Amino acid sequence: MFYSVLTLFVLSFIGFYLGKRKSIKLSQNIKLASLPSYYGYLAMLYILIPTLIAWFVLLVGENFVLEKYLFLILKEFLISMSGSEVQLFFIKIKNLSEGASFGNESDIELLGAQKIIQFKNLFLLLTYLVIFLVTAIALYLVNKKISPTFKSQRHVEKIVNLFIQLCSYVAILITVGIFLSLVFETINFFGYVNPLDFLFGINWNPNKAFVIDSSDVIDKDILKDAFGIIPLMTGTLLVVFLAMLVSIPLGLMSAIYLAEYAPKRIRDISKPVIEILAGIPTVVYGFFAALVVAPKIADLGEYIGLDVSSESALAAGLTMGVMIIPFVSSLSDDVIRAVPQSLRDGSYALGATKSETIIKVILPSALPGIIGSFLLAISRAIGETMIVVMAASLQANLTINPLEPTTTITTQIVTALTGDTEFDNPKTLVAFALGLTLFFATLLLNYFALRTVKKYREQYD
Amino acid sequence: MTNLAKRKKAELRFRFYGIFSVFLSLLFVAILIFNICLSGIGGFYKTIFLTSIHFDQKLLNLEDNASEEQIRNASFSKLIKNNFDETFKDYSKDEIKQIKKLFYRKIDIELKNFLISNPEFLNKTTKVELTASTHIDQIHKGNFDRSVQEKHRKVNNFQLEIYDKFVEDQKVKKVWNSTYFTSGDSRDPESAGVAGSVMGSVFTILICFLLSFPIAIFASIYLQEFAKTGKITDLIEININNLAAVPSIIFGLLGLGILLNFFGLPRSTALVGGIVLSFMTLPTIIVACRSSLRAVPPSIREAALALGATKNQVVFHHVLPLAMPGTLTGAIIGLARAIGETAPLLMIGMVAFIMDIPSNPLEPAVGMPAQIYLWSESSERGFIEKTSSAIILLLIFLIVVNFVSVYFRKKYEKKW
Amino acid sequence: MVNAINTKNLNVYYRDQQAIHNISLDFLKNKVTALIGPSGCGKSTFLRCLNRMNDVIDICRVEGNISLNGIDIYSKEIEVEYLREKIGMIFQKPNPFPKSIYDNVAYGPRIHGFTDKKEEMDLIVETSLKKAGLFEEVKDRLEDMGTSLSGGQQQRLCIARAIAIKPEVILMDEPCSALDPIATSIIEELITDLKKSYTIIIVTHSMQQAARVSDKTAFFHLGNLIEEGDTSKIFTKPDHQKTNDYITGRFG
Ligand SMILES: Nc1ncnc2c1ncn2[C@@H]1O[C@H](COP(=O)(O)OP(=O)(O)O)[C@@H](O)[C@H]1O
Ligand SMILES: [Mg+2]
């Protein structure tokens, strides 16, 4: 793979050189319509674009064609296997073809591996063939095009502009990709579980979908109350609520102090230091929550006679709250500083103290913006994964008691997709349904947050 | 109390709340960092026993001037048994077995490596630094309370006694743990290192940068300089804003659903990890690049246009180079965030026990954060310490990166 | 006498606001023509039509006819880059590229493919800088940033940059308004020098400057061309009352 890409680039550079040389030769008698290097670039692009596309298609297509091919030649053998057995078999012979042998392979597996190696060699040959062929055609075309009046610069710029336009579509592509991958597997999931059971079920017990042998048929009645998202939602909301309990007062008060009271020097130092909190990887918070916060809380609970679980929502929530502080504070800070000075002056002129001005004038007028920042923080907290994976429980509990173990949507996504993943089992597929729920929830929150903030901005523009 | 005095008091109280909040937030930073440092510094050191070993030629079945290859293939078990029996000849067989447990279980490999790098000691007796077992290591570092009941300890009373004697004889030392920086993951805390995960992170970030940086720059140029306002442009902008707010784990699902399941890219590799992270980094870089492009004064564009440059030439010769420092700063910030990202990598299998240090992006790998996650799941105290040490390394790296970006911004602040 | 540029029935609009009203004005080859008038009267707009710099302003619409040496500059055959190669422009605020002095001057010749030999390029840079009267001051520091020069030097660098691509016409939009008197007089001398080889159209708000450097003067008011003619005539006995009022400083 590496060498084919290298070949591709080397060829395109050769193209550049040839194109440039030819145009320089031409330009000895007559002034060209464009600089010689643009003829070179044109040749380069003519080679690079089709070969890259062809290469990419071949790369993506290889696996697909390979499986079709294997089916064809190993038909008699594969016909007796179930879908997942075939997958396993393919994985095994693929590994075998890459040299991972355990010495206990059957003849048919060895044959399969051998076929894979043959196929891959053939495909590699094909790849090179296509690359060279396309290059030859491209060189021929460019060679025909190069003439003193040909405006290669225009052409190059057109191609470049088209290319950068396509680059900007990547953002759309990613969103579509997210949506498709989530929706596709979610639909598969709903083939096993009724969407209503999923959305309104109050029991979460995905292990009920555990089957020993994949040829077993899963009993749909059992699944009826195995995948209810309600306990996950309450768990998530509980953790987020606790996080907000920490971050809203601390973040908002910090923002107020830094924006309205603090001398410039303190502000200049404190702001970046607080923002360190946002730059620390979440896995660090998770570690901290699980190893320091949770035991301390449990100890404290024991001391005052409460039974606190070591995987309580409290530890995760409080730690997450600390992580969210800088989000709330820096967003609120911007909002508060956007309040026009005239409003403050008006209030001071009436003899109000600073705090009265802040509480009665600044905060009310900044309220939409502040609420927007809270919403953004909440959306951030809902999607936060590592802290809850490491500090919260795996066990779903329909409770609002922060001292009991709880689980969250993100925790369950991770649980479903780490370890053995079988894409023909609702236990794995549910992760995508949960992901879709999460995606919509955060999208909605962000939409409202941005709308409130925007409205607020317009008010003072 | 007068009304005014009351108001004054309320004012003071409010102000106090503000200071208190800032103080508390700063305190959290301090506690977090202090705690991690306290528990992690030790991981950079390890405990060793200075043990006198006789490298008996016969026991190793080696000739004079044995080659490296021969030493590597030699069996050291007899030599070890002999040396232990000799050194502790006052103890019973069972006791010697227990004494052996004070050492890291792979004594043979340590001795082998020693002999390979010091072949002149063949048939001689010398003092070798043998790594202590992780339990002894923790006790020696004072991380473990030895006053707990024997049955709750991994080290029994007899072993403690021997250890104390070693200490008395000044045979126990704390030395710099270089294996931690040079080896990959391991089942044993004694030989586990970060090199594998560091390389994993390096490859992941490299891929992420190579993909997101050019695409982001081109997209920004198009949006900022060429795009006409319209539906599609609006749609792109909305999408960019949304992507910035999508939870990171969702990107992991995208990677799993599309890159692994649909395109069949290899699982657990830095390639896929890098692609997934580049999706997340893209919006950050685009936003930074666009605002830097916007900041390039129109007078520069006019100057180039008036010389007969085409729009493309204006952008690529003048505007983009001037916007580069700002874009790079944004990219550094985006990549710094990507380095610390864990959740999406869990989805694509970049969280597994991988001993080998990856040598290219197509080999299975884990990144630093995933390694931290993996180690933190272990119940072994030795691994907990290693986790904290890895966190220290990660944080140091992030701090350096942030300083670099601040330096960049300061250095290239507008000069036109 | 040959005309370098002719404009006929020129109307320019910013959205639906008209900035230039039906102006027809011709510019003589190798002469300096000054455009004067109160600010906001459309001098810059007019000037920017001549090398199509208004193309980049989305809301700007140009109607009418402009020709360079008899060829319509808005016709399909003329490429705007070629046009700007022939008609250079100097702006109000000196705007050298944040690159070396050498690269500033060499940029135009490079993109227009004048030469790809180092010695030839050195020569182009040197002659251009000499023509702009800057060479002696910067010959030892051609690799210094163009932006590190003083304001007057920067403006002369911009002039050198413009003449490096051998234009026929040079447009100057208040080239001295950001400069001190000494730098201004150096530039004025330069303009008198340059008119031997170039047609120069200069916008200025200084009557004295117009009187000193120009052969012809055109007076604009509220987007209309009020009067044009020999500079000596405009400044001594103008036909229109408005011109007289403006010249004598009664408004503007
Ligand atoms: N980019 C623009 N967009 C909209 N209106 C403009 C723009 N540039 C100039 N104008 C308008 O056109 C008129 C002429 O401006 P200008 O040509 O700059 O005048 P002058 O250079 O004589 O001071 C003014 O009324 C000005 O407001
Ligand atoms: Mg003007």
Side-chain angles (χ1 to χ4, degrees):
Chain A
M1 191 166 129
F2 173 74
Y3 287 104
S4 51
V5 175
L6 192 70
T7 316
L8 219 136
F9 279 96
V10 168
L11 284 177
S12 62
F13 274 108
I14 294 175
F16 175 80
Y17 174 75
L18 290 177
K20 190 168 170 177
R21 207 184 59 171
K22 169 148 193 211
S23 62
I24 286 176
K25 236 188 217 160
L26 277 177
S27 72
Q28 264 148 16
N29 315 316
I30 193 165
K31 188 169 166 19
L32 295 178
S34 305
L35 292 181
S37 53
Y38 280 101
Y39 292 90
Y41 286 130
L42 193 71
M44 186 167 167
L45 289 173
Y46 264 52
I47 294 171
L48 202 57
I49 294 170
T51 43
L52 259 180
I53 292 174
W55 175 77
F56 187 72
V57 168
L58 286 173
L59 191 74
V60 173
E62 177 171 3
N63 245 314
F64 185 73
V65 180
L66 176 63
E67 293 200 354
K68 286 265 163 318
Y69 171 73
L70 287 175
F71 264 118
L72 208 71
I73 55 165
L74 301 174
K75 202 167 9 180
E76 301 92 67
F77 174 69
L78 291 177
I79 210 135
S80 59
M81 285 189 179
S82 74
S84 52
E85 275 173 332
V86 171
Q87 286 307 319
L88 261 171
F89 174 73
F90 279 174
I91 289 172
K92 189 156 185 201
I93 57 176
K94 268 179 204 163
N95 287 340
L96 193 59
S97 75
E98 278 155 18
S101 165
F102 295 99
N104 60 350
E105 286 79 11
S106 65
D107 285 349
I108 192 86
E109 282 166 350
L110 287 172
L111 177 72
Q114 203 186 352
K115 288 287 173 199
I116 290 181
I117 293 173
Q118 281 174 4
F119 178 87
K120 286 210 161 146
N121 286 338
L122 205 73
F123 221 84
L124 196 66
L125 203 68
L126 183 73
T127 311
Y128 278 104
L129 216 67
V130 168
I131 289 177
F132 280 106
L133 200 72
V134 173
T135 306
I137 297 175
L139 276 179
Y140 173 73
L141 286 179
V142 173
N143 190 32
K144 245 176 58 179
K145 277 206 168 162
I146 294 182
S147 74
T149 52
F150 178 68
K151 287 172 184 152
S152 57
Q153 185 177 359
R154 286 268 171 289
H155 279 249
V156 171
E157 289 184 352
K158 248 190 211 149
I159 295 174
V160 168
N161 287 357
L162 190 73
F163 176 70
I164 64 174
Q165 187 170 3
L166 288 180
C167 282
S168 75
Y169 291 167
V170 169
I172 299 182
L173 218 64
I174 296 174
T175 312
V176 171
I178 290 177
F179 195 73
L180 283 185
S181 61
L182 292 179
V183 166
F184 187 68
E185 304 285 13
T186 303
I187 289 174
N188 280 347
F189 171 69
F190 286 149
Y192 295 95
V193 178
N194 185 335
L196 293 178
D197 290 340
F198 172 66
L199 285 175
F200 301 108
I202 54 165
N203 285 314
W204 178 263
N205 199 355
N207 280 332
K208 281 190 184 171
F210 182 74
V211 283
I212 296 155
D213 185 346
S214 54
S215 58
D216 286 0
V217 187
I218 300 166
D219 186 355
K220 289 206 178 172
D221 283 339
I222 292 182
L223 299 183
K224 238 178 138 45
D225 59 341
F227 290 101
I229 197 178
I230 298 286
L232 304 192
M233 287 205 174
T234 53
T236 306
L237 291 180
L238 180 60
V239 173
V240 170
F241 174 76
L242 291 168
M244 290 301 128
L245 226 51
V246 174
S247 61
I248 286 183
L250 286 182
L252 187 58
M253 279 314 287
S254 300
I256 290 173
Y257 179 74
L258 290 178
E260 299 287 325
Y261 286 103
K264 192 176 171 312
R265 214 163 45 90
I266 292 190
R267 188 185 150 79
D268 284 352
I269 297 172
S270 308
K271 248 187 103 128
V273 175
I274 293 179
E275 263 152 34
I276 288 180
L277 284 172
I280 294 176
T282 53
V283 68
V284 177
Y285 284 106
F287 178 68
F288 192 69
L291 263 103
V292 180
V293 181
K296 284 263 150 41
I297 288 177
D299 287 352
L300 196 73
E302 204 173 324
Y303 183 71
I304 56 174
L306 277 173
D307 186 21
V308 185
S309 156
S310 69
E311 294 181 326
S312 65
L314 200 56
L318 294 183
T319 315
M320 195 190 284
V322 172
M323 184 193 90
I324 303 280
I325 291 175
F327 287 90
V328 176
S329 76
S330 71
L331 288 168
S332 308
D333 185 87
D334 290 346
V335 170
I336 290 170
R337 282 151 67 85
V339 174
Q341 187 62 31
S342 57
L343 280 181
R344 292 185 184 110
D345 293 344
S347 172
Y348 293 143
L350 290 174
T353 64
K354 210 160 184 171
S355 63
E356 287 162 350
T357 307
I358 292 167
I359 296 169
K360 301 237 170 68
V361 179
I362 296 179
L363 288 186
S365 56
L367 195 63
I370 291 177
I371 289 182
S373 76
F374 290 171
L375 290 180
L376 283 179
I378 291 175
S379 125
R380 175 92 194 181
I382 289 181
E384 172 43 44
T385 309
M386 289 322 288
I387 296 179
V388 284
V389 165
M390 295 166 83
S393 160
L394 292 182
Q395 171 198 343
N397 238 337
L398 191 55
T399 175
I400 52 164
N401 180 355
L403 305 180
E404 279 184 45
T406 32
T407 192
T408 68
I409 295 180
T410 46
T411 313
Q412 289 306 320
I413 295 179
V414 171
T415 318
L417 291 177
T418 41
D420 287 336
T421 49
E422 303 152 32
F423 280 83
D424 52 0
N425 190 313
K427 206 172 111 210
T428 300
L429 292 173
V430 70
F432 291 87
L434 293 174
L436 195 64
T437 317
L438 187 64
F439 184 61
F440 277 128
T442 48
L443 221 59
L444 225 64
L445 274 171
N446 277 300
Y447 172 74
F448 283 118
L450 290 180
R451 219 181 55 168
T452 34
V453 171
K454 203 171 158 204
K455 266 207 188 130
Y456 166 76
R457 284 268 147 78
E458 278 161 4
Q459 182 189 332
Y460 291 122
D461 269 348
Chain B
M1 201 159 26
T2 65
N3 191 19
L4 193 65
K6 229 170 164 177
R7 282 172 59 198
K8 274 266 154 63
K9 234 177 162 179
E11 166 74 29
L12 277 178
R13 212 176 319 127
F14 189 74
R15 203 189 155 116
F16 170 75
Y17 291 151
I19 294 181
F20 182 69
S21 300
V22 173
F23 172 75
L24 216 57
S25 306
L26 297 181
L27 189 68
F28 285 142
V29 181
I31 290 178
L32 189 74
I33 291 181
F34 180 74
N35 237 298
I36 300 277
C37 285
L38 201 64
S39 61
I41 294 285
F44 300 129
Y45 297 91
K46 66 173 175 181
T47 309
I48 53 102
F49 294 125
L50 270 180
T51 318
S52 171
I53 298 282
H54 177 64
F55 288 99
D56 194 323
Q57 215 168 350
K58 278 188 220 90
L59 288 170
L60 289 173
N61 216 347
L62 286 173
E63 309 152 17
D64 281 336
N65 302 323
S67 71
E68 196 184 314
E69 187 68 25
Q70 283 166 322
I71 299 178
R72 204 176 294 285
N73 290 333
S75 162
F76 275 63
S77 50
K78 265 197 214 139
L79 179 97
I80 293 168
K81 186 176 177 322
N82 200 278
N83 269 295
F84 269 87
D85 290 347
E86 275 299 301
T87 318
F88 305 103
K89 51 179 172 281
D90 305 338
Y91 295 92
S92 72
K93 250 194 169 147
D94 188 53
E95 281 169 334
I96 291 181
K97 219 173 179 178
Q98 290 193 34
I99 293 172
K100 248 188 187 167
K101 288 231 172 87
L102 296 177
F103 293 79
Y104 173 38
R105 66 185 174 88
K106 290 181 179 161
I107 300 179
D108 54 338
I109 294 185
E110 294 201 315
L111 288 179
K112 220 176 249 186
N113 288 338
F114 178 83
L115 196 60
I116 287 172
S117 40
N118 309 290
E120 69 273 16
F121 286 116
L122 190 57
N123 235 358
K124 297 210 176 75
T125 305
T126 183
K127 286 221 154 91
V128 183
E129 293 186 352
L130 290 176
T131 309
S133 84
T134 181
H135 308 303
I136 288 298
D137 184 46
Q138 290 304 313
I139 287 176
H140 191 69
K141 283 172 184 164
N143 291 344
F144 192 85
D145 186 5
R146 38 190 293 182
S147 60
V148 290
Q149 280 185 315
E150 188 174 13
K151 63 177 179 210
H152 294 304
R153 266 191 265 126
K154 292 267 172 63
V155 181
N156 62 28
N157 285 343
F158 169 71
Q159 285 172 321
L160 270 183
E161 210 174 281
I162 299 291
Y163 159 73
D164 286 338
K165 210 151 117 208
F166 280 171
V167 174
E168 222 166 87
D169 299 347
Q170 300 193 324
K171 279 186 179 162
V172 190
K173 266 196 353 201
K174 211 164 93 175
V175 298
W176 184 249
N177 186 359
S178 58
T179 15
Y180 185 65
F181 298 93
T182 54
S183 67
D185 198 4
S186 164
R187 296 277 182 215
D188 308 318
E190 294 93 337
S191 63
V194 288
S197 57
V198 167
M199 278 322 278
S201 274
V202 167
F203 284 128
T204 311
I205 288 307
L206 202 68
I207 298 276
C208 172
F209 175 77
L210 289 179
L211 277 174
S212 60
F213 194 63
I215 293 182
I217 286 181
F218 292 140
S220 313
I221 290 178
Y222 177 74
L223 293 172
Q224 197 62 35
E225 306 283 332
F226 291 96
K228 309 231 167 15
T229 45
K231 284 238 169 66
I232 297 199
T233 313
D234 283 350
L235 188 67
I236 295 173
E237 307 231 353
I238 291 172
N239 268 305
I240 290 171
N241 288 336
N242 273 342
L243 283 183
V246 170
S248 61
I249 191 167
I250 301 283
F251 287 96
L253 292 175
L254 167 72
L256 176 60
I258 302 272
L259 299 177
L260 296 188
N261 287 356
F262 186 74
F263 284 119
L265 293 178
R267 202 179 145 80
S268 302
T269 54
L271 176 72
V272 179
I275 297 176
V276 167
L277 292 185
S278 76
F279 294 160
M280 299 178 52
T281 320
L282 207 59
T284 317
I285 308 184
I286 290 182
V287 169
C289 183
R290 288 187 69 179
S291 71
S292 328
L293 288 173
R294 219 175 294 136
V296 175
S299 66
I300 302 278
R301 293 162 215 260
E302 283 188 329
L305 280 175
L307 286 173
T310 62
K311 180 122 195 216
N312 285 54
Q313 287 173 328
V314 174
V315 171
F316 285 99
H317 294 168
H318 299 285
V319 180
L320 185 58
L322 292 178
M324 223 32 163
T327 311
L328 269 176
T329 311
I332 292 174
I333 291 170
L335 290 175
R337 200 177 309 154
I339 290 172
E341 219 25 275
T342 324
L345 302 184
L346 300 186
M347 303 288 93
I348 53 161
M350 276 186 81
V351 54
F353 174 69
I354 292 161
M355 280 179 73
D356 297 328
I357 299 173
S359 60
N360 69 55
L362 287 172
E363 280 176 20
V366 294
M368 280 282 267
Q371 186 71 77
I372 290 170
Y373 170 63
L374 281 170
W375 281 348
S376 76
E377 299 282 278
S378 161
S379 55
E380 197 102 50
R381 262 230 61 115
F383 271 122
I384 301 299
E385 188 186 62
K386 293 272 182 304
T387 315
S388 298
S389 311
I391 290 177
I392 293 177
L393 290 181
L394 187 61
L395 290 183
I396 288 177
F397 180 75
L398 289 179
I399 288 170
V400 169
V401 163
N402 272 304
F403 270 117
V404 168
S405 83
V406 169
Y407 170 80
F408 238 81
R409 195 160 27 195
K410 284 264 149 62
K411 178 160 183 200
Y412 290 100
E413 246 164 15
K414 289 182 206 163
K415 53 180 174 194
W416 49 77
Chain C
M1 281 281 149
V2 189
N3 283 335
I5 294 183
N6 306 315
T7 63
K8 238 185 126 183
N9 303 335
L10 194 68
N11 287 297
V12 182
Y13 307 83
Y14 291 106
R15 286 225 170 77
D16 18 276
Q17 193 199 338
Q18 190 163 6
I20 297 286
H21 294 269
N22 205 33
I23 290 184
S24 301
L25 183 61
D26 301 334
F27 298 95
L28 287 173
K29 213 175 168 80
N30 290 14
K31 290 279 185 257
V32 178
T33 307
L35 307 181
I36 59 171
S39 67
C41 71
K43 306 178 298 288
S44 297
T45 304
F46 180 82
L47 199 69
R48 290 165 62 90
C49 286
L50 301 181
N51 67 344
R52 291 179 56 181
M53 282 298 278
N54 283 334
D55 286 15
V56 288
I57 301 172
D58 286 337
I59 57 168
C60 182
R61 202 173 83 241
V62 180
E63 285 171 5
N65 200 294
I66 306 174
S67 56
L68 172 70
N69 301 327
I71 301 163
D72 181 7
I73 66 164
Y74 278 91
S75 79
K76 278 254 152 58
E77 284 88 78
I78 294 282
E79 282 183 30
V80 69
E81 290 80 29
Y82 173 77
L83 173 74
R84 291 179 189 153
E85 191 186 328
K86 294 293 155 206
I87 306 183
M89 188 167 195
I90 310 296
F91 296 83
Q92 187 164 356
K93 226 178 121 236
N95 55 357
F97 300 127
K99 300 180 182 214
S100 73
I101 295 172
Y102 184 97
D103 286 338
N104 260 283
V105 183
Y107 182 67
R110 238 176 238 152
I111 59 170
H112 291 295
F114 280 21
T115 174
D116 47 28
K117 298 201 182 59
K118 175 93 172 77
E119 311 84 63
E120 290 178 27
M121 188 58 88
D122 288 351
L123 195 67
I124 293 177
V125 172
E126 189 180 325
T127 32
S128 306
L129 283 171
K130 271 183 180 152
K131 277 192 197 162
L134 190 61
F135 187 68
E136 288 307 315
E137 291 160 61
V138 300
K139 64 179 175 204
D140 301 323
R141 48 185 183 127
L142 288 176
E143 289 311 314
D144 283 13
M145 294 285 278
T147 39
S148 67
L149 298 172
S150 74
Q153 287 174 323
Q154 285 189 13
Q155 196 62 302
R156 275 181 284 151
L157 177 61
C158 292
I159 293 175
R161 184 174 68 184
I163 58 186
I165 49 174
K166 308 195 174 70
E168 293 170 17
V169 182
I170 300 175
L171 310 175
M172 299 184 170
D173 192 350
E174 303 191 22
C176 304
S177 66
L179 306 182
D180 60 72
I182 293 173
T184 302
S185 71
I186 296 175
I187 302 251
E188 284 180 8
E189 268 171 44
L190 184 58
I191 293 172
T192 326
D193 245 16
L194 290 174
K195 78 174 176 186
K196 288 176 208 129
S197 352
Y198 309 96
T199 307
I200 294 173
I201 304 171
I202 177 169
V203 169
T204 173
H205 57 217
S206 149
M207 297 312 120
Q208 293 90 331
Q209 188 172 58
R212 277 195 301 265
V213 302
S214 69
D215 307 303
K216 291 271 186 180
T217 299
F219 172 59
F220 282 49
H221 183 55
L222 294 177
N224 293 297
L225 174 64
I226 304 296
E227 184 171 1
E228 54 126 348
D230 287 343
T231 301
S232 52
K233 179 176 171 290
I234 298 274
F235 278 91
T236 47
K237 39 181 190 313
D239 290 340
H240 286 259
Q241 185 56 40
K242 263 204 193 114
T243 318
N244 196 29
D245 288 352
Y246 180 70
I247 286 164
T248 50
R250 233 160 277 163
F251 76 96

